[in-house]
Amino acid sequence: MFRKLLISGLLLLLLSPSLVLGQVKSAFTGDLSTYRAELTTFMGPNLNQTQKNNLNEFLTRWDSASFSKTNMIMIVDISSQMSGRLMRAVPHFDDFLETINLFVDFKRDDAIFASWLRGLSELAFDPRVSSELIIRYFKSTGSMIRENVLSETGSVKWKVKGSNLKFEHDTVFYVVIKDATLTCYSQTDSTELYDVSGMYFPEFQLFKGSKGTVTWEKAGYQGKEVFAEIRNYSINTSKNSFTIDSPKLTNSAYFKKPEFGQLTDQTTSFKNKEKATFPRFTTYTKQFRLKNIFKGVNYEGGLSFEGANVKGTGENYSPAKITLFRNDTLYINIASKEFLFTKSGLNSSETSVSLYLKNDSIYHSNLGFSYIAETRQVNLFRTNNPISKSPYYNSFHGLDMYFEYLSWNMNESKIILSRARGSSLGIAQFESISYFNSGDFLQLMGLDNHHPLNRLIKFSEYFYSETFPVKEFAKWLNKPEESVIGLCIDLANQGFIFYDRTNNEITIKKKTKDYIDSYGKRKDYDVINIFSETKTPTDNAILNLSDYKITVNGVKGVSLSDSQKVAIYPYNRQLIIGKNRSLLFDGVVKAGLFVIYGHKFSFSYDTFNLRLGKIDSIKVAVETDKLDAYGNPVSYQVDNLLQLGSAELLIDKPNNKSGLKSFKQYPIINTNAYSYIFYDKIPA
């Protein structure tokens, strides 16, 4: 920059003689002896009192030899150039004289004054420099002398505190600042740089700093706790903001040693310092590992600082990560492009989450997240993002889970799966990952000639990957990308794919191919779909981290086999889900012609049977020769009760959960215990 300024100055010196000749005839002859009279005539009789005072003060000093001869010559030459530019007595010459008077009033030495005059002379001799720029030069110099104000443009003002300004000239006029505080004001707001040294170039409204410090005091931090050291930087003083590359940030709460990055600050004020959003600093290092930022909470990723807030930052394919530990065991991994750190906790509006259950996990690709440090409360919730409505994929229990809100107090072993905050009604759904419904399959196709699930599989084979960009899929379908995005959102919300909106990619889930094969009767499936409906204060479900069982409330009934007509109806509308869709409950089992009442009932998905631990009673129905409107035999309930201590109910063959094959002997009740039949009437 300095070299450019030097070259510019030399060019001006070479060009100035020819330029002088081309100007309008000046009102000044250039003679020192006649300058006083010429100036008085030029200023004219129509000056107001302030302007008269400026002129008279100048003439008094001119007569009293307040100026060196060299400076007097430059004053005359500059006056000639200004007159040749057709600059008027008011305001131009009046500003010129006022600024000269200020140099004398504030006892600036002759060398400083000479430097200023040389800079002004170069501006006046250069036809490329506008008269407006020369006026600004007067006014900015006056403000610098009078108030230490470097620049004032519109509502933006830059002022120096704690140091006198030193005027210099080296091909251009500039101001030297040393060990000062530089403050920017904009309306009622301000920001400050401390321990500043550098040079200010009024002609360019440019400050070239050699050193300085920016603190986070306006964001509520102590000046010695969080601060950035800046070196070799530039600030445009016509603006109320600045950005500086490669400053060094000290923040002992996050760094063992200072970190380099990019600093941005602007004039702001906040009634509440905790809501401050400036200064801002983004580290060049993109991978930090911070342990126990709160108890049991670790962070990995980049860092940026925005006023009172700290942000964890990541990239599309390398997101930042929060890991949550309880008793030294990793339970939750949360990934996002951005986390907000505050003194009270953490949050992010868009995260992907994995909750680990031994070697399995519960996963969701798009949720809101918050952590409250004081209570150690973890919250995961659906947002306005359409992908947020997609289910949690639970590989441990073998379920797709739909619910609004997950909350976990990390001091406890129970995770609550329930209604949205502020809602009185909670609705949740726990659907088997092998669930199939032919009506749903046909509805997905709509009026299209090709089923979307088939198209997904075909393209994945073409692309040689089950993960691919939506843009490429849209090209292959020959459809607008927007309409294909809508399709992908719908399929994600029904649990067929994972949709990464950040990278606009989808990953096909196993459910997609299973649905196609189930419709083609090439694969077994089930109809297990658990609905939960509760009212406050009862939660839909609670996951116990001690045994990984989910207690579900508000369950009226669950169909285990529609072909064999087996369903369960838990007492108190409560059941427990274990690994791979196993169920525990007390209640009623309806199985074909049997209705079984009891306690300690359990369902095994793998063997597809029910263990009836404690049977209270069994009601039996018999089929008659009569048929109903659908051609099915009409059954009548037998009044007698059958009692068994325990039994096993075989619903169907384990590889025939769908009932695609007909085995009329099922359901079967097996027991090794004694049974009793109680008759209401015994024949004589």
Side-chain angles (χ1 to χ4, degrees):
M1 178 67 189
F2 213 87
R3 186 173 178 179
K4 290 181 180 178
L5 296 173
L6 178 62
I7 294 170
S8 176
L10 291 172
L11 287 172
L12 289 174
L13 291 173
L14 291 171
L15 291 170
S16 57
S18 59
L19 294 173
V20 171
L21 294 174
Q23 289 182 333
V24 177
K25 184 177 180 181
S26 173
F28 300 92
T29 62
D31 188 345
L32 290 180
S33 62
T34 60
Y35 177 71
R36 187 185 196 285
E38 291 169 351
L39 178 63
T40 303
T41 302
F42 180 81
M43 296 301 290
N46 299 319
L47 302 178
N48 63 32
Q49 191 57 49
T50 302
Q51 294 159 356
K52 287 179 182 178
N53 291 340
N54 284 337
L55 175 60
N56 291 332
E57 284 182 25
F58 172 77
L59 293 176
T60 299
R61 283 156 178 166
W62 182 269
D63 294 338
S64 63
S66 294
F67 310 113
S68 68
K69 187 174 181 180
T70 301
N71 287 347
M72 292 175 76
I73 292 171
M74 281 195 286
I75 290 172
V76 173
D77 288 343
I78 291 169
S79 298
S80 297
Q81 289 300 316
M82 289 174 60
S83 174
R85 282 174 167 267
L86 301 180
M87 296 181 76
R88 299 189 303 274
V90 178
H92 308 139
F93 271 80
D94 181 58
D95 290 338
F96 177 43
L97 299 178
E98 181 184 9
T99 306
I100 293 173
N101 288 333
L102 285 171
F103 270 100
V104 179
D105 290 339
F106 285 84
K107 297 181 174 59
R108 301 294 185 177
D109 62 44
D110 201 58
I112 291 176
F113 182 46
S115 295
W116 181 79
L117 288 173
R118 280 195 295 273
L120 176 56
S121 177
E122 289 182 3
L123 292 176
F125 270 76
D126 188 348
R128 294 169 297 180
V129 175
S130 67
S131 296
E132 287 74 15
L133 180 59
I134 294 173
I135 295 168
R136 190 174 73 204
Y137 186 85
F138 295 152
K139 290 185 176 181
S140 63
T141 305
S143 296
M144 283 187 273
I145 297 170
R146 199 169 38 240
E147 306 173 74
N148 265 21
V149 172
L150 294 183
S151 172
E152 189 165 5
T153 307
S155 62
V156 179
K157 180 168 72 173
W158 287 83
K159 184 174 182 178
V160 175
K161 301 176 184 176
S163 176
N164 289 326
L165 305 180
K166 185 179 180 182
F167 298 92
E168 297 285 355
H169 185 275
D170 180 10
T171 72
V172 291
F173 172 69
Y174 61 94
V175 180
V176 176
I177 300 167
K178 187 175 182 181
D179 300 331
T181 297
L182 182 59
T183 306
C184 178
Y185 300 92
S186 180
Q187 297 178 351
T188 59
D189 302 327
S190 65
T191 191
E192 291 189 317
L193 295 82
Y194 302 99
D195 194 28
V196 168
S197 292
M199 296 181 292
Y200 177 63
F201 299 91
E203 180 182 350
F204 306 101
Q205 290 186 284
L206 180 69
F207 178 72
K208 299 278 289 181
S210 58
K211 70 167 188 170
T213 301
V214 174
T215 73
W216 265 249
E217 290 176 271
K218 65 183 177 184
Y221 294 92
Q222 294 294 322
K224 294 182 179 180
E225 286 181 1
V226 184
F227 61 90
E229 298 172 83
I230 52 180
R231 297 286 186 274
N232 303 321
Y233 55 96
S234 298
I235 294 176
N236 182 344
T237 59
S238 67
K239 298 180 179 180
N240 69 336
S241 62
F242 58 87
T243 297
I244 298 172
D245 288 324
S246 302
K248 196 163 56 173
L249 179 69
T250 295
N251 188 331
S252 57
Y254 292 92
F255 311 133
K256 292 181 180 179
K257 60 180 182 179
E259 287 287 337
F260 288 98
Q262 186 181 72
L263 171 71
T264 300
D265 198 6
Q266 70 178 42
T267 55
T268 51
S269 62
F270 303 92
K271 292 181 180 179
N272 184 351
K273 290 187 175 183
E274 290 185 359
K275 294 184 178 180
T277 56
F278 285 92
R280 296 180 177 179
F281 189 95
T282 302
T283 59
Y284 289 152
T285 303
K286 297 303 180 186
Q287 204 68 12
F288 293 94
R289 287 180 174 84
L290 307 177
K291 288 189 175 182
N292 288 314
I293 53 176
F294 299 106
K295 183 181 177 182
V297 180
N298 295 346
Y299 172 74
E300 183 177 331
L303 288 171
S304 67
F305 299 81
E306 297 186 3
N309 301 318
V310 181
K311 285 187 176 181
T313 58
E315 306 296 333
N316 285 352
Y317 291 98
S318 180
K321 294 178 183 178
I322 294 284
T323 50
L324 306 177
F325 288 79
R326 183 174 182 270
N327 298 331
D328 297 325
T329 300
L330 173 63
Y331 276 99
I332 298 182
N333 183 22
I334 304 166
S336 177
K337 283 183 66 178
E338 183 176 279
F339 290 100
L340 179 63
F341 299 8
T342 65
K343 294 176 182 178
S344 59
L346 310 164
N347 65 72
S348 178
S349 61
E350 195 166 344
T351 68
S352 61
V353 179
S354 295
L355 169 59
Y356 299 111
L357 308 177
K358 292 185 177 178
N359 296 324
D360 291 284
S361 65
I362 298 173
Y363 174 78
H364 199 291
S365 63
N366 198 296
L367 292 171
F369 158 72
S370 69
Y371 173 79
I372 303 170
E374 184 178 357
T375 58
R376 302 193 73 207
Q377 181 81 20
V378 179
N379 300 303
L380 298 169
F381 46 89
R382 288 177 171 174
T383 67
N384 293 329
N385 191 313
I387 299 301
S388 202
K389 295 179 181 178
S390 62
Y392 290 78
Y393 176 71
N394 184 337
S395 63
F396 182 88
H397 298 94
L399 299 169
D400 277 337
M401 306 191 301
Y402 297 82
F403 57 87
E404 293 292 330
Y405 210 94
L406 181 152
S407 60
W408 176 34
N409 183 330
M410 291 178 64
N411 295 316
E412 300 176 0
S413 61
K414 293 181 179 179
I415 295 179
I416 296 172
L417 320 175
S418 195
R419 72 186 71 82
R421 288 287 177 90
S423 175
S424 60
L425 181 66
I427 296 176
Q429 180 181 349
F430 303 86
E431 180 183 277
S432 168
I433 57 174
S434 301
Y435 176 86
F436 173 76
N437 181 285
S438 59
D440 293 344
F441 181 86
L442 294 173
Q443 191 175 8
L444 276 171
M445 186 171 176
L447 299 176
D448 205 336
N449 293 325
H450 302 280
H451 199 284
L453 300 186
N454 277 317
R455 305 301 278 169
L456 282 171
I457 297 299
K458 290 290 185 182
F459 183 74
S460 70
E461 293 171 352
Y462 164 81
F463 201 75
Y464 293 102
S465 175
E466 291 186 343
T467 299
F468 47 81
V470 174
K471 186 176 182 180
E472 295 301 319
F473 184 41
K475 287 181 181 178
W476 188 79
L477 290 174
N478 196 25
K479 289 186 176 182
E481 187 175 346
E482 292 76 13
S483 67
V484 176
I485 287 174
L487 171 66
C488 292
I489 290 172
D490 186 44
L491 293 176
N493 290 341
Q494 296 186 58
F496 292 102
I497 60 174
F498 294 119
Y499 182 20
D500 179 359
R501 286 198 76 189
T502 302
N503 299 308
N504 203 25
E505 289 183 344
I506 61 174
T507 299
I508 297 175
K509 293 170 66 174
K510 184 175 180 292
K511 179 179 178 178
T512 300
K513 193 169 190 309
D514 287 350
Y515 235 65
I516 295 170
D517 290 341
S518 296
Y519 183 76
K521 298 182 179 181
R522 296 184 295 273
K523 187 182 186 306
D524 194 23
Y525 58 86
D526 65 59
V527 295
I528 298 172
N529 199 353
I530 302 170
F531 287 91
S532 165
E533 183 176 320
T534 62
K535 292 183 179 180
T536 184
T538 304
D539 294 308
N540 291 103
I542 297 174
L543 169 62
N544 193 326
L545 295 178
S546 300
D547 54 16
Y548 303 133
K549 291 178 180 178
I550 302 175
T551 300
V552 185
N553 300 306
V555 180
K556 292 181 180 179
V558 181
S559 175
L560 300 180
S561 172
D562 55 355
S563 58
Q564 299 298 349
K565 299 178 181 178
V566 177
I568 63 174
Y569 303 88
Y571 291 152
N572 300 319
R573 296 190 174 186
Q574 184 182 84
L575 57 77
I576 297 172
I577 306 174
K579 185 172 176 60
N580 194 27
R581 292 155 282 189
S582 63
L583 304 176
L584 297 171
F585 64 99
D586 300 329
V588 179
V589 175
K590 288 187 177 181
L593 299 174
F594 297 96
V595 180
I596 307 164
Y597 302 83
H599 298 77
K600 297 182 180 179
F601 291 174
S602 63
F603 167 70
S604 170
Y605 185 84
D606 294 329
T607 59
F608 209 52
N609 66 17
L610 280 160
R611 295 186 65 84
L612 310 173
K614 185 180 180 182
I615 299 173
D616 295 332
S617 60
I618 301 176
K619 285 186 176 181
V620 182
V622 293
E623 292 182 348
T624 66
D625 294 333
K626 296 180 181 180
L627 300 176
D628 62 16
Y630 299 100
N632 299 316
V634 175
S635 59
Y636 285 101
Q637 194 77 41
V638 176
D639 292 334
N640 306 321
L641 290 176
L642 177 65
Q643 278 197 349
L644 288 171
S646 62
E648 183 179 42
L649 173 64
L650 307 180
I651 301 171
D652 208 324
K653 290 192 174 184
N655 60 354
N656 192 48
K657 297 179 178 72
S658 59
L660 290 175
K661 298 177 182 178
S662 178
F663 298 101
K664 293 185 177 180
Q665 67 270 34
Y666 288 96
I668 300 170
I669 295 180
N670 289 334
T671 180
N672 294 322
Y674 290 105
S675 59
Y676 304 90
I677 299 177
F678 295 88
Y679 296 93
D680 290 339
K681 295 180 180 180
I682 301 177

